[in-house]
Amino acid sequence: MFETTSKTVPVTKEMVREAYRKVRRNKGSAGVDKESLGDFEEDLLNNLYVLWNRMSSGSYFPKPVRSVSIPKANGKKRVLGIPTVSDRIAQQVVKDYLEPRLEAQFQGQSYGYRPLKSAHQAVEAVQENVRQYAWVIDMDIKSFFDEVDHELLMKAVERHVPEAWVKMYIKRWLESPAQQSDGTLIQKEGQGTPQGGVISPLLANLFLHYVLDKWLTKRYPGVAFVRYADDIVVHCQTEAEAKQILEAIKARLTECKLRLSEEKTKMVYCQDYRRPKKKDYGKKFDFLGFTFKPRTVASKSGGSFIGYGMAISQKAQTRIVDGWKQLNLHRRSDLTIQDIANMVNSQMRGVIKYYGKFKLRDLQRLMWRFEFRLAKWALNKYKRFKNSYSEAFLWIKDLKRSYPGMFYYWTLFKHV
């Protein structure tokens, strides 16, 4: 290993090594240079040395980010910007350097991409708030990562970052163009931070800290809010208050060169057994893959009442089932059932651990939809079932008894 020293810019070799270890854990695909993490590691010590030498001397310049389009649930596409492996490590160096300082400024209502914070904590906070506040502003900032203003963002950076070298590298990353699949370079023109960059979530949190978090706390101390990156829910006590704050937020975002998505932003009435009915507003909203709406809740006395709570959203279920459909299991008679288990268990474990965190039983119907596809595969593979779904399901039931751990969900749902 090379020795740890520093030069003009106080980036040490140990800082670069630690950043590499974090990037390696997070994996990720190749950037515009087509160099994968494996390729980078073939000459690891030299590559890390070159990066350190350039960063510590101020001569480091990032390459363009690679534009990748990811399908969204609404049929549109989200554009991610994928930096090269070297650039991801460089961004991680600066992120590690800045994060403790900025974390000391951020508020507790911000949960996205922060140490010791999680999406589950954000969902729990919203669940707690809807019990206390009858109204929700379900906000969607239009094209946030594409429209962040560089000048305003750098003003926020300068409030906490006196080091010229840090500001220099952040500015270079912000100005780095995006390269399309045909090689065309798209210049930033003073706005946007790549959704996919290592440092982008930290910069986004800093920007929205000043645009919304601090502003809301100061101007409207009586309301509650929960923010996960650019997903924001504001809780209000009355309809009039919600209307007033929504208009104020629109004006605030305009002032900060952002805008709300009119078709996705709405006021929601959190109706439960304590609150009178209202017909003029919707009664449900989605947040981080969960739908909040009125739900029947069993009481301790044996009866039931209407509460207001969350469960996995229909959009999330559709996305998961579509993924299973794309496996085309019914056309893969070459596979064994163990092969299928190996294919889906990791993904299924993630789905159940995330969406089953609060109400595991709500996933039973979703797991049945997978089991139906499994039965369909069995019918095509084994002709002895004579196209009888009941025979296929009985066969699966026998397998559950003999090999209960084959599929991850079998250990959790005995009666799917």
Side-chain angles (χ1 to χ4, degrees), residues 111 118-127 226-228 287-288:
Y111 293 87
S118 70
H120 281 153
Q121 289 174 337
V123 171
E124 285 181 301
V126 170
Q127 178 66 82
V226 175
R227 182 172 67 77
Y228 191 93
F287 184 65
L288 300 182

Side-chain angles (χ1 to χ4, degrees), residues 105-310:
Q105 304 297 320
F106 294 160
Q107 296 184 345
Q109 299 96 323
S110 167
Y111 293 87
Y113 307 105
R114 294 183 58 190
L116 306 179
K117 295 273 192 174
S118 70
H120 281 153
Q121 289 174 337
V123 171
E124 285 181 301
V126 170
Q127 178 66 82
E128 182 61 32
N129 287 340
V130 296
R131 295 191 181 108
Q132 301 177 45
Y133 297 82
W135 292 87
V136 155
I137 303 171
D138 180 20
M139 287 174 48
D140 185 274
I141 300 178
K142 193 174 183 69
S143 305
F144 171 72
F145 283 91
D146 295 330
E147 297 187 4
V148 170
D149 184 77
H150 290 180
E151 183 180 353
L152 292 177
L153 176 55
M154 289 308 298
K155 282 184 179 179
V157 169
E158 286 166 3
R159 294 193 66 162
H160 304 283
V161 184
E163 297 93 334
W165 68 273
V166 176
K167 291 181 283 190
M168 174 182 70
Y169 286 144
I170 290 176
K171 200 164 185 291
R172 288 178 186 176
W173 286 319
L174 290 176
E175 294 173 350
S176 185
Q179 183 172 304
Q180 309 300 299
S181 57
D182 63 359
T184 303
L185 293 180
I186 307 297
Q187 302 299 327
K188 291 294 182 60
E189 298 181 350
Q191 63 179 20
T193 178
Q195 192 173 359
V198 172
I199 202 167
S200 292
L202 181 63
L203 296 178
N205 273 334
L206 176 63
F207 193 76
L208 288 173
H209 169 74
Y210 283 107
V211 170
L212 281 173
D213 300 358
K214 197 169 183 179
W215 176 81
L216 274 170
T217 303
K218 184 177 180 180
R219 288 282 302 274
Y220 301 100
V223 308
F225 69 93
V226 175
R227 182 172 67 77
Y228 191 93
D230 60 331
D231 287 333
I232 306 149
V233 174
V234 181
H235 303 268
C236 306
Q237 294 285 8
T238 67
E239 177 182 356
E241 183 181 53
K243 285 181 177 178
Q244 178 194 354
I245 292 175
L246 177 55
E247 291 305 311
I249 288 172
K250 288 179 182 178
R252 174 63 175 172
L253 291 180
T254 299
E255 179 186 354
C256 299
K257 301 183 180 181
L258 293 173
R259 54 197 171 131
L260 286 180
S261 170
E262 295 292 342
E263 63 271 19
K264 294 182 181 178
T265 297
K266 61 183 184 290
M267 285 172 49
V268 175
Y269 181 56
C270 306
Q271 185 179 314
D272 63 13
Y273 73 97
R274 302 166 300 166
R275 297 164 182 157
K277 292 183 179 181
K278 288 184 181 291
K279 296 181 179 179
D280 297 336
Y281 293 95
K283 295 180 178 61
K284 67 178 182 178
F285 65 95
D286 287 358
F287 184 65
L288 300 182
F290 293 87
T291 294
F292 289 78
K293 67 177 185 179
R295 298 181 186 278
T296 302
V297 179
S299 66
K300 294 180 180 179
S301 62
S304 63
F305 61 93
I306 299 298
Y308 197 91
M310 82 301 204

Side-chain angles (χ1 to χ4, degrees), residues 5-63:
T5 60
S6 59
K7 293 165 70 173
T8 308
V9 172
V11 172
T12 67
K13 293 175 181 177
E14 182 53 38
M15 289 165 69
V16 174
R17 278 197 293 261
E18 178 59 24
Y20 154 72
R21 286 191 281 266
K22 290 181 179 179
V23 168
R24 187 173 186 269
R25 285 198 296 270
N26 292 329
K27 300 178 181 178
S29 55
V32 294
D33 58 1
K34 299 181 181 179
E35 181 181 51
S36 68
L37 197 54
D39 297 332
F40 185 88
E41 290 171 338
E42 288 180 4
D43 193 13
L44 179 61
L45 292 183
N46 183 58
N47 285 332
L48 292 179
Y49 179 85
V50 168
L51 179 59
W52 165 77
N53 193 41
R54 289 175 180 169
M55 288 196 75
S56 60
S57 63
S59 62
Y60 160 76
F61 285 88
K63 290 183 172 65

